[in-house]
Amino acid sequence: MTIQRPRLLLIDSYDSFTFNLAALCRTAIPDCSIHLIKNDQLTIDDLLPLLKSFSAIIIGPGPGSPDLPEDVGVVKDIWKLSECDLLPIFGVCLGFQSLVIEHGGQLKRLQVVKHGQVSKILHNGRDIFKNLKQVTAVRYHSYHAEPDTKEIESLAWADDGVENGSVLMAGKHQTRPFWGVQYHPESVLTDDGGLHILRNFWSLAVEWSQKRDRCLSPLDSSAMKILGPSWPHLRPSSLSSSHRTTTATSVTTSVVELPGVNVLDICETLGVDDHRSPFILLDSAASPGRFSIIASLLSTSLQILYSVGDVFVTLKCGKSVRHESLAGEDIWSWISGFMRLAKATGGYPDVPFWGGLIGTLSYELGVHSLDIPLRQSRRDTNSHPDIHLVYVQRCLVLDTSTSNVYIQSLLSDDWAWMNNMADELKKLPSRSSIMKTPLNLNVGSAQVQLPDRHQYIAKIESAQDFLRSGDSYELCLTAQTHLFVPRSLSTWERYKLLRHSNPAPYSAYLRLHPSTFLSSSPERFISYSRSPDSLCELRPIKGTMRKAPGITRACAEQALRGSQKEVAENLMIVDLIRHDLHGVLGLDVHVKQFCEIEEYETVWQMVSVIEGRLPAGTRKDDLGWEVLRQSLPPGSMTGAPKKRSVEILQSLEDEDRSLYSGVFGYWCVGGGGDWSVAIRSCFKHELECQDSEMEHWVIGAGGAITALSDPQAEWDEMLLKLKGVLGAFGAANPRCNEC
């Protein structure tokens, strides 16, 4: 058979690694065309007429069980193809289990589940393992399949010893062109057992098709309408350049060198103590952070607010408030269009922010993007908008490595303000604002409502039941702590306390009436550089160890990188993020750093770095915004597979996370952006308790629950994460009534 261009059909069972598998197929089978469908998108009757246009089918992994129709959809019917419809098929994990049980095998639950763990694969060196020696591969499964008939020939095994004994890792059908593997060939830690296996499968598929003179039919327009475009498919920018009615704004910049200047003093020079007005600080309060951004807001600075379900966007400009209809457009496209019109040039290339949008995106905004229903009564307990952004036209950027302050404006002829600001900054003393605990911090005055310990531990155990049933590999379970504190300190003083007790590279003070958000986050979610050749980078953190006397880098290496649980958690999120990036960018996605130990002000952290960019010669001005859209909510705050995990978390958690575990950051008018995960943070709503002498603050905390988690240890870890933020309220050691 001569095929000008191989064409694969990839069936996705709502997994969070599917695009990784697609990328592996494109690498193994150069120039192949890949179409993806969900397992419940088409019936077998809909699918049969299309199969003559495909060279092979790849049945991907997914959550759940192969013997539940709602988990596998059309997959169970694929194995029953008639001879005239037959074509080569390769199943992975859930797909492989389905192959075995649909041909008489049994499905059994592992005694010890394998989620994000690397195993040595023993094989017979034949078929898809031809010319392969030792194979090590990543496993994500709670079940395993055992052939009961001679229809399925075993090809590979893993020896789990006393845990599970010998577990089938690969097999083939004796008479039909069906192969599969239990492990994940697409994982970043799977070796030649990934790429080489797919190449061998393709050789076998081509050989089978040639013997039968099987030829491909073209995909006609009706088929393309059903299937959609092949992967990778770059979504068009939300607003084409032909619709732009204004020319790009020019950024005006003045540079002042201020050795030893303190960003807190700059904020106070800009009027942060006037609590009637909004204020914005994105603060690199600790290494490895470098740039701090302070907005100099106008009384007319535009605020953009949106809540999921609204058909309009709210625009606040001073005392003016108006609602603009989205006119059938989604909010992401509306904001993208706004930023296309706000595009600016001429700023200093090394300065990451010239002006643009700064603010918060809620966790529920990401949940909604996964087509998961939100709580019907969510607005009874969550008054914060899901999007709250401010358009910043004047700003100061402090480079902590050089002590340069970049005074920037997007307004024309704004030199009077810039010169006045330079004069004011030069009056600042060096190395002032050394934080001292305010005298009026009434330790013990905070009323702390911790989550119920028994309920939280019960939810951990429920989460582990879902893990054992194969519905998820990892669940990031969280809960909210509520604080009621006297109005003895301003929110700015609270932030300075938080910054002093828990300095972090991605700190923030965002006073965006009616919400006030304080953060000491250690985790950058995503950054993206300006076009052309925009680079997207994500830096998930899984694994943290507090600094203490005698805790050296070597100790942290041993405790974190030497922990099977910590590495598995990190690996799962790395594979999930690779999937998110491949889905938008195509092939060019790489793990630059895996599970490296990085030193921070107060902790050692295990950090991975994943990077991706568009193919050479491709330009998309809102690329970073699109990657952000497709990646929310952050995988480090959900688990994997993401959609099923979030559905489970919605059932386990009692209330909206709101700003917690969403993201905050900026989108620069030059095209770049930087967003951090909203952890180690707290927030309040101005209208709550406005007639009371007490303020109501909310702090979220939790942890990644795996099959290896100890429920009591997870509770203790949640309390430890709360401690740093609670210290800003004089409540670093709250008492649990049940402890």
Side-chain angles (χ1 to χ4, degrees):
M1 178 180 73
T2 301
I3 302 177
Q4 294 299 317
R5 188 180 188 191
R7 192 180 296 126
L8 303 183
L9 178 66
L10 175 50
I11 300 179
D12 173 27
S13 292
Y14 293 91
D15 198 58
S16 286
F17 306 146
T18 301
F19 288 119
N20 299 338
L21 185 56
L24 182 66
C25 290
R26 276 292 295 269
T27 304
I29 310 168
D31 199 38
C32 71
S33 172
I34 301 175
H35 286 265
L36 286 89
I37 62 168
K38 299 294 186 184
N39 66 18
D40 57 358
Q41 183 176 331
L42 301 173
T43 66
I44 190 63
D45 290 335
D46 296 327
L47 190 56
L48 285 176
L50 304 175
L51 295 184
K52 63 182 181 297
S53 300
F54 287 97
S55 313
I57 298 176
I58 309 294
I59 300 179
S65 169
D67 59 2
L68 295 178
E70 60 269 29
D71 289 340
V72 293
V74 74
V75 170
K76 66 183 183 303
D77 300 314
I78 292 289
W79 309 112
K80 303 178 180 68
L81 294 176
S82 65
E83 286 298 320
C84 62
D85 294 317
L86 201 57
L87 75 168
I89 302 176
F90 186 82
V92 175
C93 198
L94 183 73
F96 172 66
Q97 293 170 1
S98 179
L99 164 63
V100 176
I101 69 168
E102 292 299 330
H103 292 93
Q106 292 188 41
L107 186 70
K108 296 185 177 181
R109 184 172 290 190
L110 293 173
Q111 294 295 318
V112 179
V113 300
K114 298 295 179 179
H115 294 162
Q117 295 184 29
V118 180
S119 294
K120 183 178 179 180
I121 307 301
L122 309 173
H123 59 85
N124 59 16
R126 301 197 306 271
D127 285 274
I128 55 176
F129 289 92
K130 184 178 179 181
N131 296 326
L132 270 171
K133 295 183 180 178
Q134 181 172 313
V135 172
T136 55
V138 174
R139 296 163 62 185
Y140 293 105
H141 63 119
S142 302
Y143 294 101
H144 68 112
E146 289 187 358
D148 262 6
T149 68
K150 293 182 179 180
E151 285 189 89
I152 301 297
E153 178 185 344
S154 300
L155 298 176
W157 309 261
D159 184 0
D160 286 356
V162 296
E163 293 180 337
N164 300 304
S166 180
V167 179
L168 182 65
M169 285 290 112
K172 71 168 187 176
H173 195 278
Q174 290 281 26
T175 59
R176 308 193 112 200
F178 302 160
W179 294 265
V181 293
Q182 174 62 71
Y183 64 82
H184 281 244
E186 80 287 353
S187 175
V188 69
L189 289 191
T190 296
D191 58 14
D192 280 351
L195 183 61
H196 201 118
I197 288 288
L198 262 295
R199 285 175 174 161
N200 281 344
F201 162 72
W202 180 241
S203 295
L204 292 166
V206 169
E207 180 183 351
W208 182 90
S209 297
Q210 288 175 338
K211 287 180 178 179
R212 286 154 183 79
D213 293 324
R214 185 175 185 272
C215 296
L216 289 189
S217 299
L219 280 173
D220 58 26
S221 58
S222 61
M224 290 298 295
K225 188 174 181 179
I226 295 171
L227 295 167
S230 62
W231 177 88
H233 172 65
L234 181 64
R235 287 169 57 113
S237 292
S238 301
L239 185 65
S240 67
S241 57
S242 62
H243 285 82
R244 179 146 28 114
T245 58
T246 59
T247 57
T249 301
S250 180
V251 182
T252 307
T253 307
S254 176
V255 186
V256 179
E257 186 176 358
L258 298 174
V261 71
N262 189 295
V263 71
L264 304 180
D265 288 333
I266 296 177
C267 292
E268 287 165 5
T269 297
L270 286 171
V272 69
D273 290 317
D274 180 5
H275 294 279
R276 297 167 298 177
S277 302
F279 197 87
I280 288 173
L281 166 65
L282 298 178
D283 186 7
S284 292
S287 176
R290 176 179 172 184
F291 293 97
S292 291
I293 299 168
I294 312 104
S296 179
L297 298 177
L298 304 165
S299 61
T300 56
S301 290
L302 177 67
Q303 295 190 50
I304 301 170
L305 298 89
Y306 171 80
S307 293
V308 170
D310 288 348
V311 295
F312 57 85
V313 58
T314 300
L315 304 176
K316 293 174 61 177
C317 192
K319 295 183 179 180
S320 170
V321 179
R322 65 185 178 90
H323 301 307
E324 181 173 312
S325 172
L326 291 172
E329 193 174 33
D330 63 73
I331 186 62
W332 293 90
S333 299
W334 188 95
I335 293 172
S336 184
F338 175 89
M339 285 298 286
R340 183 65 64 88
L341 296 173
K343 186 174 178 60
T345 60
Y348 280 47
D350 293 338
V351 177
F353 184 75
W354 300 340
L357 296 177
I358 298 181
T360 59
L361 308 177
S362 77
Y363 172 80
E364 280 69 33
L365 182 70
V367 173
H368 177 70
S369 71
L370 297 173
D371 295 324
I372 296 174
L374 300 180
R375 296 175 179 86
Q376 292 185 348
S377 60
R378 63 186 299 255
R379 286 309 173 199
D380 295 341
T381 56
N382 176 14
S383 303
H384 300 275
D386 293 305
I387 294 179
H388 198 160
L389 301 169
V390 180
Y391 181 51
V392 176
Q393 295 172 287
R394 289 172 171 171
C395 65
L396 283 70
V397 176
L398 169 63
D399 183 346
T400 59
S401 69
T402 64
S403 297
N404 284 340
V405 178
Y406 298 85
I407 306 168
Q408 303 173 116
S409 177
L410 301 176
L411 303 174
S412 60
D413 300 320
D414 206 21
W415 282 107
W417 171 78
M418 297 179 69
N419 291 334
N420 179 66
M421 182 55 59
D423 291 341
E424 291 297 315
L425 291 176
K426 290 173 183 177
K427 297 176 184 178
L428 292 176
S430 60
R431 306 192 186 284
S432 65
S433 288
I434 298 175
M435 186 62 205
K436 296 179 181 178
T437 304
L439 295 177
N440 58 344
L441 178 59
N442 187 359
V443 177
S445 62
Q447 300 173 17
V448 182
Q449 294 181 1
L450 290 170
D452 181 276
R453 175 178 170 273
H454 291 305
Q455 289 183 12
Y456 190 76
I457 287 179
K459 290 175 182 178
I460 293 173
E461 293 169 346
S462 294
Q464 290 181 311
D465 287 339
F466 283 111
L467 299 175
R468 284 187 284 268
S469 66
D471 287 288
S472 177
Y473 314 132
E474 171 182 314
L475 288 165
C476 186
L477 182 69
T478 73
Q480 292 188 342
T481 292
H482 296 265
L483 291 91
F484 297 88
V485 296
R487 297 181 183 271
S488 55
L489 294 181
S490 69
T491 58
W492 175 242
E493 289 172 314
R494 293 281 183 203
Y495 174 70
K496 290 197 289 185
L497 274 169
L498 177 62
R499 187 182 194 271
H500 176 71
S501 63
N502 196 40
Y506 311 109
S507 299
Y509 176 73
L510 303 179
R511 191 169 66 217
L512 307 177
H513 300 306
S515 302
T516 299
F517 174 79
L518 317 181
S519 180
S520 58
S521 175
E523 184 172 355
R524 166 184 274 163
F525 178 51
I526 179 175
S527 63
Y528 43 93
S529 59
R530 300 181 179 106
S531 295
D533 200 31
S534 180
L535 177 70
C536 296
E537 179 183 278
L538 289 90
R539 296 177 58 87
I541 293 174
K542 284 295 179 184
T544 301
M545 188 173 190
R546 283 208 166 271
K547 285 185 172 178
I551 303 299
T552 62
R553 175 180 289 274
C555 294
E557 290 266 1
Q558 182 176 3
L560 297 176
R561 296 196 69 179
S563 166
Q564 185 183 60
K565 175 181 180 293
E566 301 286 359
V567 172
E569 288 181 20
N570 202 300
L571 171 62
M572 284 184 249
I573 303 308
V574 168
D575 279 341
L576 185 155
I577 287 172
R578 291 172 57 235
H579 160 87
D580 288 341
L581 285 177
H582 278 305
V584 179
L585 302 176
L587 281 176
D588 196 356
V589 175
H590 304 282
V591 178
K592 181 180 178 181
Q593 169 182 307
F594 181 75
C595 283
E596 293 294 327
I597 304 302
E598 293 185 355
E599 183 176 8
Y600 290 72
E601 192 83 9
T602 60
V603 295
W604 299 97
Q605 302 206 122
M606 191 159 66
V607 183
S608 295
V609 179
I610 306 97
E611 293 183 344
R613 66 175 80 238
L614 286 173
T618 307
R619 178 171 182 142
K620 181 174 168 62
D621 289 337
D622 58 357
L623 172 66
W625 187 244
E626 180 65 23
V627 173
L628 178 65
R629 170 183 184 162
Q630 297 293 333
S631 301
L632 290 177
S636 61
M637 301 306 298
T638 63
K642 185 184 285 186
K643 183 172 184 178
R644 181 70 65 89
S645 296
V646 171
E647 289 171 339
I648 294 168
L649 292 169
Q650 287 289 97
S651 70
L652 292 177
E653 298 177 359
D654 299 324
E655 53 190 326
D656 278 9
R657 296 187 185 183
S658 188
L659 305 186
Y660 168 65
S661 68
V663 296
F664 63 95
Y666 67 81
W667 184 4
C668 173
V669 290
D674 202 336
W675 300 86
S676 301
V677 183
I679 55 176
R680 315 297 193 273
S681 305
C682 60
F683 53 92
K684 72 166 187 170
H685 195 280
E686 296 294 338
L687 300 182
E688 294 179 4
C689 303
Q690 61 178 337
D691 299 324
S692 170
E693 295 182 356
M694 306 290 279
E695 293 179 335
H696 176 203
W697 291 84
V698 178
I699 307 174
I705 308 304
T706 72
L708 300 175
S709 293
D710 173 73
Q712 180 60 49
E714 293 293 342
W715 167 262
D716 294 340
E717 180 181 333
M718 189 268 290
L719 293 181
L720 181 63
K721 291 175 178 176
L722 284 172
K723 187 174 181 178
V725 180
L726 287 172
F729 299 87
N733 297 294
R735 287 290 301 163
C736 171
N737 292 332
E738 303 152 358
C739 297

Coordinates of all heavy atoms in Angstrom, one line a residue, residues 88-92 96 99 121 123-133 135 153-156 168-173 177-183 185 192-205 207:
P88 N -5.6 -1.4 11.5 CA -4.7 -1.6 12.7 C -5.1 -0.6 13.8 O -5.5 0.5 13.6 CB -3.3 -1.2 12.1 CG -3.4 -1.5 10.7 CD -4.8 -1.1 10.3
I89 N -5.0 -1.1 15.0 CA -5.4 -0.4 16.2 C -4.4 -0.6 17.3 O -3.9 -1.7 17.5 CB -6.8 -0.8 16.8 CG1 -7.9 -0.7 15.7 CG2 -7.2 0.0 18.0 CD1 -9.2 -1.2 16.1
F90 N -4.1 0.5 18.0 CA -3.1 0.5 19.1 C -3.8 1.1 20.3 O -4.2 2.3 20.3 CB -1.8 1.3 18.8 CG -0.7 1.2 19.8 CD1 0.1 0.1 19.8 CD2 -0.6 2.2 20.7 CE1 1.1 0.0 20.8 CE2 0.5 2.1 21.7 CZ 1.3 1.0 21.7
G91 N -3.9 0.4 21.4 CA -4.5 0.8 22.7 C -3.5 1.2 23.8 O -2.5 0.5 23.9
V92 N -3.8 2.2 24.5 CA -2.9 2.6 25.6 C -3.7 2.7 26.9 O -4.8 3.3 27.0 CB -2.3 4.0 25.3 CG1 -1.5 4.5 26.5 CG2 -1.4 4.0 24.1
F96 N -5.9 -0.3 26.2 CA -5.4 -1.7 26.2 C -6.2 -2.6 27.1 O -6.5 -3.7 26.7 CB -3.9 -1.6 26.7 CG -3.4 -3.0 27.0 CD1 -3.1 -3.9 25.9 CD2 -3.0 -3.4 28.3 CE1 -2.6 -5.2 26.2 CE2 -2.5 -4.7 28.5 CZ -2.3 -5.6 27.5
L99 N -9.2 -3.6 25.1 CA -8.8 -4.7 24.2 C -8.8 -6.1 24.8 O -9.4 -7.0 24.3 CB -7.4 -4.4 23.6 CG -6.7 -5.6 22.9 CD1 -7.4 -6.0 21.6 CD2 -5.2 -5.2 22.6
I121 N 10.1 -2.8 32.4 CA 9.2 -3.6 31.6 C 10.0 -4.8 31.1 O 10.9 -4.7 30.3 CB 8.6 -2.8 30.5 CG1 7.9 -1.5 31.0 CG2 7.6 -3.6 29.7 CD1 6.9 -1.7 32.1
H123 N 10.0 -8.0 28.5 CA 9.3 -8.3 27.3 C 10.0 -9.4 26.5 O 11.1 -9.8 26.9 CB 9.2 -7.0 26.4 CG 10.5 -6.4 26.0 ND1 11.2 -6.9 25.0 CD2 11.3 -5.4 26.6 CE1 12.3 -6.2 24.9 NE2 12.4 -5.3 25.9
N124 N 9.3 -9.9 25.5 CA 9.8 -11.0 24.8 C 10.6 -10.6 23.5 O 11.0 -11.5 22.8 CB 8.6 -12.0 24.3 CG 7.6 -11.3 23.5 OD1 7.8 -10.2 22.9 ND2 6.4 -11.9 23.4
G125 N 10.7 -9.3 23.3 CA 11.6 -8.9 22.1 C 10.9 -9.0 20.8 O 11.6 -8.9 19.8
R126 N 9.6 -9.3 20.7 CA 8.9 -9.5 19.5 C 7.9 -8.5 19.2 O 7.5 -7.7 20.1 CB 8.3 -10.9 19.4 CG 9.2 -12.1 19.6 CD 8.6 -13.4 19.1 NE 7.3 -13.6 19.8 CZ 7.1 -14.3 20.9 NH1 8.2 -14.7 21.6 NH2 5.9 -14.5 21.4
D127 N 7.4 -8.4 18.0 CA 6.3 -7.5 17.6 C 6.7 -6.1 17.9 O 7.7 -5.6 17.4 CB 5.0 -7.9 18.2 CG 4.4 -9.2 17.6 OD1 3.7 -9.0 16.6 OD2 4.7 -10.3 18.1
I128 N 5.9 -5.4 18.7 CA 6.1 -4.0 19.0 C 7.4 -3.8 19.9 O 7.8 -2.7 20.0 CB 4.9 -3.4 19.7 CG1 4.5 -4.1 21.0 CG2 3.7 -3.2 18.7 CD1 3.4 -3.5 21.7
F129 N 8.0 -4.9 20.4 CA 9.2 -4.8 21.2 C 10.4 -5.2 20.4 O 11.5 -5.4 21.0 CB 9.1 -5.6 22.5 CG 8.1 -5.0 23.5 CD1 6.8 -5.4 23.5 CD2 8.5 -4.0 24.4 CE1 5.9 -4.9 24.4 CE2 7.6 -3.5 25.3 CZ 6.3 -3.9 25.3
K130 N 10.3 -5.4 19.1 CA 11.4 -5.8 18.3 C 12.6 -4.8 18.4 O 12.4 -3.6 18.3 CB 10.9 -5.9 16.8 CG 12.0 -6.5 15.9 CD 11.4 -6.6 14.5 CE 12.5 -7.1 13.5 NZ 12.0 -7.3 12.1
N131 N 13.7 -5.4 18.5 CA 15.0 -4.6 18.6 C 15.1 -3.7 19.8 O 15.8 -2.7 19.9 CB 15.2 -3.7 17.4 CG 15.4 -4.6 16.1 OD1 16.0 -5.7 16.2 ND2 14.9 -4.1 15.0
L132 N 14.3 -4.0 20.8 CA 14.3 -3.2 22.1 C 15.0 -4.1 23.2 O 14.7 -5.3 23.2 CB 12.9 -2.8 22.5 CG 12.4 -1.5 22.1 CD1 10.9 -1.3 22.4 CD2 13.2 -0.3 22.7
K133 N 15.8 -3.5 23.9 CA 16.4 -4.2 25.1 C 15.6 -3.8 26.3 O 14.5 -4.1 26.4 CB 17.9 -3.9 25.1 CG 18.7 -4.3 23.9 CD 20.2 -4.0 24.1 CE 20.9 -4.6 22.8 NZ 22.4 -4.2 22.9
V135 N 13.5 -1.8 28.9 CA 12.5 -0.7 28.8 C 12.1 -0.3 30.2 O 11.8 -1.1 31.1 CB 11.3 -1.2 28.0 CG1 10.2 -0.1 28.1 CG2 11.6 -1.4 26.6
E153 N -2.3 -12.5 23.1 CA -1.0 -13.0 23.4 C -0.3 -11.9 24.2 O -0.2 -10.8 23.9 CB -0.2 -13.3 22.1 CG 1.2 -13.8 22.4 CD 2.0 -13.9 21.1 OE1 1.4 -14.0 20.0 OE2 3.3 -14.0 21.2
S154 N 0.3 -12.4 25.3 CA 1.0 -11.5 26.2 C 2.4 -11.2 25.6 O 3.1 -12.1 25.1 CB 1.2 -12.1 27.6 OG -0.1 -12.3 28.2
L155 N 2.8 -9.9 25.7 CA 4.1 -9.5 25.1 C 5.1 -8.9 26.1 O 6.3 -8.9 25.9 CB 3.9 -8.4 24.0 CG 3.1 -8.8 22.8 CD1 2.9 -7.6 21.9 CD2 3.8 -10.0 22.0
A156 N 4.5 -8.4 27.3 CA 5.4 -7.7 28.3 C 4.7 -7.7 29.6 O 3.5 -7.8 29.7 CB 5.7 -6.3 27.8
L168 N 0.5 -7.7 33.6 CA 0.5 -7.6 32.1 C 0.8 -6.2 31.7 O 0.0 -5.3 32.1 CB -0.7 -8.1 31.5 CG -0.8 -8.2 29.9 CD1 0.3 -9.1 29.4 CD2 -2.2 -8.5 29.5
M169 N 1.8 -5.9 30.8 CA 2.1 -4.6 30.4 C 1.9 -4.4 28.9 O 1.9 -3.3 28.4 CB 3.6 -4.3 30.7 CG 3.8 -3.9 32.2 SD 3.1 -2.3 32.6 CE 1.8 -2.9 33.8
A170 N 1.7 -5.5 28.1 CA 1.5 -5.3 26.7 C 1.0 -6.6 26.1 O 1.2 -7.7 26.6 CB 2.8 -4.9 25.9
G171 N 0.3 -6.5 25.0 CA -0.2 -7.7 24.3 C -0.7 -7.4 22.9 O -0.7 -6.3 22.5
K172 N -1.1 -8.5 22.2 CA -1.6 -8.3 20.9 C -2.7 -9.4 20.6 O -2.8 -10.4 21.3 CB -0.5 -8.5 19.8 CG 0.0 -9.9 19.7 CD 0.9 -10.1 18.4 CE 1.2 -11.5 18.2 NZ 2.0 -11.7 17.0
H173 N -3.6 -9.1 19.7 CA -4.6 -10.1 19.3 C -3.9 -11.1 18.3 O -3.1 -10.7 17.5 CB -5.7 -9.4 18.6 CG -6.9 -10.2 18.4 ND1 -7.1 -11.2 17.4 CD2 -8.1 -10.3 19.2 CE1 -8.2 -11.8 17.6 NE2 -8.9 -11.3 18.6
P177 N -5.3 -7.1 13.7 CA -4.2 -6.1 13.8 C -4.3 -5.2 15.0 O -4.4 -4.0 14.9 CB -4.2 -5.4 12.5 CG -5.7 -5.3 12.2 CD -6.2 -6.7 12.6
F178 N -4.4 -5.8 16.2 CA -4.6 -5.1 17.4 C -3.5 -5.3 18.4 O -3.1 -6.4 18.7 CB -5.9 -5.5 18.2 CG -7.2 -5.4 17.4 CD1 -8.3 -6.2 17.7 CD2 -7.3 -4.6 16.3 CE1 -9.5 -6.1 17.0 CE2 -8.5 -4.5 15.5 CZ -9.6 -5.2 15.9
W179 N -2.9 -4.2 18.9 CA -1.8 -4.2 19.8 C -2.1 -3.2 20.9 O -2.9 -2.3 20.8 CB -0.5 -3.8 19.2 CG 0.0 -4.8 18.1 CD1 0.9 -5.8 18.3 CD2 -0.3 -4.8 16.7 NE1 1.2 -6.5 17.2 CE2 0.5 -5.9 16.2 CE3 -1.1 -4.1 15.9 CZ2 0.4 -6.2 14.8 CZ3 -1.2 -4.4 14.6 CH2 -0.5 -5.4 14.0
G180 N -1.4 -3.3 22.0 CA -1.6 -2.3 23.1 C -0.6 -2.4 24.2 O 0.1 -3.5 24.4
V181 N -0.5 -1.4 25.0 CA 0.4 -1.4 26.2 C -0.4 -0.8 27.4 O -1.2 0.1 27.2 CB 1.7 -0.5 26.0 CG1 2.6 -1.2 24.9 CG2 1.3 0.9 25.6
Q182 N -0.1 -1.3 28.5 CA -0.7 -0.9 29.8 C 0.0 0.4 30.3 O -0.7 1.3 30.8 CB -0.6 -1.9 30.9 CG -1.1 -1.5 32.2 CD -2.5 -1.1 32.2 OE1 -3.4 -2.0 32.1 NE2 -2.8 0.2 32.4
Y183 N 1.2 0.5 30.1 CA 2.0 1.7 30.5 C 1.7 2.9 29.6 O 1.0 2.8 28.6 CB 3.4 1.4 30.7 CG 4.2 1.1 29.4 CD1 4.6 2.1 28.5 CD2 4.4 -0.3 29.1 CE1 5.3 1.7 27.4 CE2 5.1 -0.6 27.9 CZ 5.5 0.4 27.0 OH 6.2 0.1 25.9
P185 N 3.3 5.3 27.0 CA 4.5 5.5 26.2 C 4.8 7.0 26.0 O 5.9 7.4 25.7 CB 4.1 4.8 24.9 CG 2.6 4.9 24.8 CD 2.2 4.7 26.3
D192 N 12.8 4.4 25.5 CA 12.5 3.9 24.2 C 11.3 3.1 24.1 O 10.8 2.8 23.0 CB 13.7 3.1 23.7 CG 14.8 4.0 23.2 OD1 14.6 5.2 23.1 OD2 15.9 3.4 22.9
G193 N 10.8 2.7 25.3 CA 9.5 1.9 25.3 C 8.3 2.8 24.8 O 7.2 2.3 24.7
G194 N 8.6 4.1 24.5 CA 7.6 5.0 24.0 C 7.7 5.1 22.5 O 7.0 4.5 21.7
L195 N 8.7 5.9 22.0 CA 8.9 6.2 20.6 C 9.1 5.0 19.8 O 8.5 4.8 18.7 CB 10.0 7.2 20.5 CG 10.3 7.7 19.0 CD1 9.1 8.4 18.5 CD2 11.6 8.6 19.0
H196 N 10.0 4.1 20.3 CA 10.3 2.9 19.5 C 9.1 2.0 19.3 O 8.9 1.3 18.3 CB 11.5 2.1 20.2 CG 12.2 1.2 19.3 ND1 13.6 1.4 19.0 CD2 11.8 0.1 18.6 CE1 13.9 0.4 18.2 NE2 12.9 -0.4 17.9
I197 N 8.3 1.9 20.4 CA 7.1 1.0 20.3 C 6.1 1.5 19.3 O 5.6 0.7 18.5 CB 6.4 1.0 21.7 CG1 7.2 0.2 22.7 CG2 5.0 0.5 21.6 CD1 7.2 -1.2 22.5
L198 N 5.9 2.8 19.2 CA 5.0 3.4 18.2 C 5.6 3.2 16.8 O 4.8 2.9 15.8 CB 4.8 4.9 18.5 CG 3.5 5.3 19.2 CD1 2.3 4.9 18.4 CD2 3.5 4.6 20.6
R199 N 6.9 3.3 16.6 CA 7.5 3.0 15.3 C 7.3 1.6 14.9 O 7.0 1.3 13.7 CB 9.0 3.4 15.3 CG 9.2 4.9 15.3 CD 10.7 5.2 15.4 NE 10.9 6.7 15.3 CZ 12.0 7.3 15.7 NH1 13.0 6.6 16.3 NH2 12.2 8.6 15.5
N200 N 7.5 0.7 15.8 CA 7.3 -0.7 15.5 C 5.8 -1.0 15.2 O 5.5 -1.8 14.3 CB 7.7 -1.6 16.7 CG 9.2 -1.8 16.7 OD1 9.9 -1.5 15.8 ND2 9.7 -2.2 17.9
F201 N 4.9 -0.4 16.0 CA 3.5 -0.6 15.6 C 3.2 -0.1 14.2 O 2.5 -0.8 13.5 CB 2.6 0.2 16.6 CG 1.2 0.4 16.1 CD1 0.3 -0.6 16.1 CD2 0.8 1.7 15.7 CE1 -1.0 -0.4 15.6 CE2 -0.5 1.9 15.2 CZ -1.4 0.9 15.1
W202 N 3.7 1.1 13.8 CA 3.5 1.6 12.5 C 4.0 0.6 11.4 O 3.4 0.4 10.4 CB 4.0 3.0 12.4 CG 3.8 3.6 11.0 CD1 4.7 4.0 10.1 CD2 2.5 3.8 10.4 NE1 4.1 4.4 9.0 CE2 2.7 4.3 9.1 CE3 1.2 3.6 10.8 CZ2 1.7 4.7 8.2 CZ3 0.2 3.9 9.9 CH2 0.4 4.5 8.7
S203 N 5.2 0.1 11.7 CA 5.7 -0.9 10.7 C 4.8 -2.1 10.5 O 4.6 -2.6 9.4 CB 7.1 -1.3 11.1 OG 8.0 -0.3 11.1
L204 N 4.3 -2.6 11.7 CA 3.4 -3.7 11.6 C 2.1 -3.4 10.9 O 1.5 -4.1 10.2 CB 3.1 -4.3 13.0 CG 4.3 -4.9 13.7 CD1 4.1 -5.1 15.2 CD2 4.7 -6.2 13.1
A205 N 1.6 -2.1 11.2 CA 0.4 -1.7 10.6 C 0.5 -1.5 9.1 O -0.4 -2.0 8.3 CB 0.0 -0.3 11.2
E207 N 2.7 -3.1 7.2 CA 2.8 -4.5 6.6 C 1.4 -5.2 6.5 O 1.1 -5.8 5.5 CB 3.7 -5.3 7.5 CG 4.0 -6.7 7.1 CD 4.8 -7.5 8.0 OE1 5.4 -6.9 9.0 OE2 4.9 -8.7 7.9

